[in-house]
């Protein structure tokens, strides 16, 4: 990516293309860790006195043994179906919010402005894309069925069937179950993520003034570090959200009451550690995922911008 002082406005189509490709790569690389995280968050293991919760390696091995290795990719269709709009919304809204919050005279954004832009981008993607996508994904991942047994028919056959069944049985509102918690999680994720990424990238540029663009491996390393920030700050929110989205709504019980009931039950039955179930695979998924996203996004965006500049140059020379 070019230095901020020479930075050109990037079109929305570029955000869609670069973000979509980056998100697809992230999903393909990291979906197994996400499935393990969800299973750990839904697990009730460790409740009995003297027993321990199943760790992430044991959980992964258990899934593979019972349901075949393909089960680690449950929910991938829902993820891939939402990746392009999710990443387009994330990067496009972040740049828009950052521009609005930037100093009008210098055109530069302070660290506080970048953090607020990240909060806004996370909230926007949560409401428009992430919440319904995750409800479908979690329903698929939560199904304990073997993909090797053709007679073991799951409740939801695929992402499209899951959407159809949820809408038919529970209504549109079910796809937005946990939207508040998802928005809080995504906002804190992207606030921390973009702030750390921008600051670390600025630091790398200052240390290497001879470089116009950082190499991809540096974007990947910076993305890895920045991506680890969010999960540690909002793990309890993510665990409660997962349990809320997994189960159908109870008539006459508000979302706030269900959230409180889930939190109280976790505290009473499983203790404080239950709020951090799945933190290891989540960090192992989110951090490398952001490394892939930023490295691929920056690379693809640079290629697109180079192609555009070449086309403009050729058109002038004709």
């Amino acid at each position: 990516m070019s230095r901020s002082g020479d930075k050109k406005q990037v079109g929305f189509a570029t955000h869609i293309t670069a973000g979509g490709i980056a998100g697809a790569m992230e999903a393909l690389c990291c979906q197994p860790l996400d499935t393990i995280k969800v299973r750990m968050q839904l697990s009730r293991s460790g409740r009995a006195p003297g027993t321990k919760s199943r760790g992430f390696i044991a959980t992964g091995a258990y899934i593979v043994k019972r349901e075949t290795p393909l089960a680690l990719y449950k929910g991938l269709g829902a993820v891939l179906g939402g990746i392009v709009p999710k990443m387009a919304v994330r990067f496009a809204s972040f740049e828009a919010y950052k521009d609005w919050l930037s100093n009008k005279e210098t055109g530069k954004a302070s660290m506080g402005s970048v953090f607020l832009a990240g909060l806004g981008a996370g909230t926007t993607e949560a409401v428009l894309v992430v919440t319904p996508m995750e409800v479908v994904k979690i329903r698929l991942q939560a199904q304990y069925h073997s993909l090797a047994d053709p007679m073991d028919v799951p409740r939801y056959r695929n992402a499209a069937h899951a959407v159809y069944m949820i809408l038919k049985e529970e209504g549109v509102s079910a796809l937005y179950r946990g939207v508040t918690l998802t928005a809080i999680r995504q906002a804190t994720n992207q606030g921390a993520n973009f702030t750390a990424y921008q600051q670390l990238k600025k630091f790398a540029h200052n240390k290497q003034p001879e470089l116009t663009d950082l190499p991809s491996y540096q974007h990947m390393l910076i993305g890895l570090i920045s991506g680890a920030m969010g999960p540690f700050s909002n793990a309890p929110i993510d665990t409660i959200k997962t349990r809320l989205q997994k189960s159908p709504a109870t008539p006459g019980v508000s979302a706030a009451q269900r959230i409180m009931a889930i939190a109280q039950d976790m505290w009473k039955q499983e203790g404080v550690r239950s709020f951090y179930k799945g933190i290891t695979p989540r960090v192992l998924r989110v951090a490398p995922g952001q490394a892939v996203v930023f490295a691929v996004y920056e690379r693809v965006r640079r290629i697109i911008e180079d192609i555009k500049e070449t086309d403009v140059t050729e058109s002038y020379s004709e």
Side-chain angles (χ1 to χ4, degrees):
M1 185 174 176
S2 299
R3 291 178 180 281
S4 57
D6 303 323
K7 186 180 170 183
K8 298 177 182 178
Q9 193 68 29
V10 178
F12 187 72
T14 301
H15 287 301
I16 293 176
T17 306
I21 293 172
M25 289 298 296
E26 178 206 12
L28 290 171
C29 293
C30 303
Q31 182 66 11
L33 288 168
D34 188 69
T35 299
I36 295 171
K37 180 212 72 171
V38 168
R39 288 293 182 86
M40 289 180 70
Q41 290 176 329
L42 296 175
S43 172
R44 299 299 195 269
S45 65
R47 280 191 169 192
T51 62
K52 292 183 178 180
S53 298
R54 191 181 291 121
F56 84 97
I57 293 178
T59 300
Y62 187 70
I63 293 172
V64 170
K65 181 179 179 181
R66 285 191 59 192
E67 306 169 55
T68 79
L70 287 176
L72 294 172
Y73 284 89
K74 284 181 177 180
L76 180 61
V79 174
L80 289 175
I83 277 294
V84 172
K86 173 185 173 182
M87 290 301 172
V89 167
R90 174 182 297 180
F91 285 104
S93 63
F94 171 74
E95 292 296 337
Y97 293 139
K98 191 175 74 169
D99 287 343
W100 294 339
L101 294 167
S102 295
N103 186 297
K104 302 306 177 186
E105 296 180 358
T106 64
K108 295 182 178 180
S110 65
M111 187 167 67
S113 295
V114 171
F115 180 72
L116 289 175
L119 290 179
T123 302
T124 303
E125 71 175 13
V127 174
L128 296 182
V129 183
V130 177
T131 303
M133 180 186 75
E134 289 209 342
V135 170
V136 174
K137 174 182 71 71
I138 288 169
R139 294 293 181 91
L140 291 167
Q141 290 174 321
Q143 296 185 125
Y144 291 84
H145 72 288
S146 174
L147 298 178
D149 184 359
M151 301 302 292
D152 189 0
V153 181
R155 177 175 175 76
Y156 305 117
R157 294 192 294 271
N158 49 50
H161 183 248
V163 171
Y164 170 76
M165 292 298 294
I166 292 170
L167 291 175
K168 179 182 177 181
E169 298 177 354
E170 303 172 56
V172 177
S173 62
L175 291 175
Y176 284 88
R177 187 164 299 140
V179 64
T180 301
L181 293 177
T182 303
I184 293 172
R185 186 199 67 182
Q186 292 303 112
T188 52
N189 267 350
Q190 300 316 318
N193 189 17
F194 277 113
T195 303
Y197 184 79
Q198 295 281 326
Q199 293 301 309
L200 289 171
K201 188 167 66 172
K202 187 184 299 182
F203 175 80
H205 272 305
N206 290 337
K207 290 293 184 180
Q208 304 165 102
E210 73 282 1
L211 295 180
T212 301
D213 297 305
L214 295 178
S216 293
Y217 81 89
Q218 291 188 19
H219 284 301
M220 183 170 285
L221 180 60
I222 293 170
L224 181 74
I225 297 171
S226 64
M229 302 293 182
F232 286 108
S233 65
N234 55 32
I237 294 171
D238 188 57
T239 303
I240 295 171
K241 176 202 69 69
T242 297
R243 296 197 179 191
L244 179 70
Q245 291 178 323
K246 186 257 181 181
S247 58
T250 305
V253 180
S254 68
Q257 289 174 323
R258 294 185 65 216
I259 289 169
M260 288 302 297
I262 290 171
Q264 289 173 356
D265 182 67
M266 289 172 62
W267 179 270
K268 185 184 299 182
Q269 299 293 334
E270 303 170 67
V272 67
R273 293 182 63 181
S274 66
F275 291 93
Y276 288 87
K277 276 188 172 182
I279 185 64
T280 301
R282 187 174 175 221
V283 171
L284 290 176
R285 186 225 183 283
V286 172
Q290 289 308 298
V292 171
V293 164
F294 279 114
V296 175
Y297 174 82
E298 297 278 8
R299 182 63 179 169
V300 173
R301 192 179 78 168
R302 191 185 309 159
I303 291 171
I304 294 172
E305 292 305 301
D306 288 344
I307 292 172
K308 286 182 179 180
E309 288 182 5
T310 301
D311 290 342
V312 170
T313 302
E314 289 178 353
S315 66
Y316 275 116
S317 63
E318 290 177 355

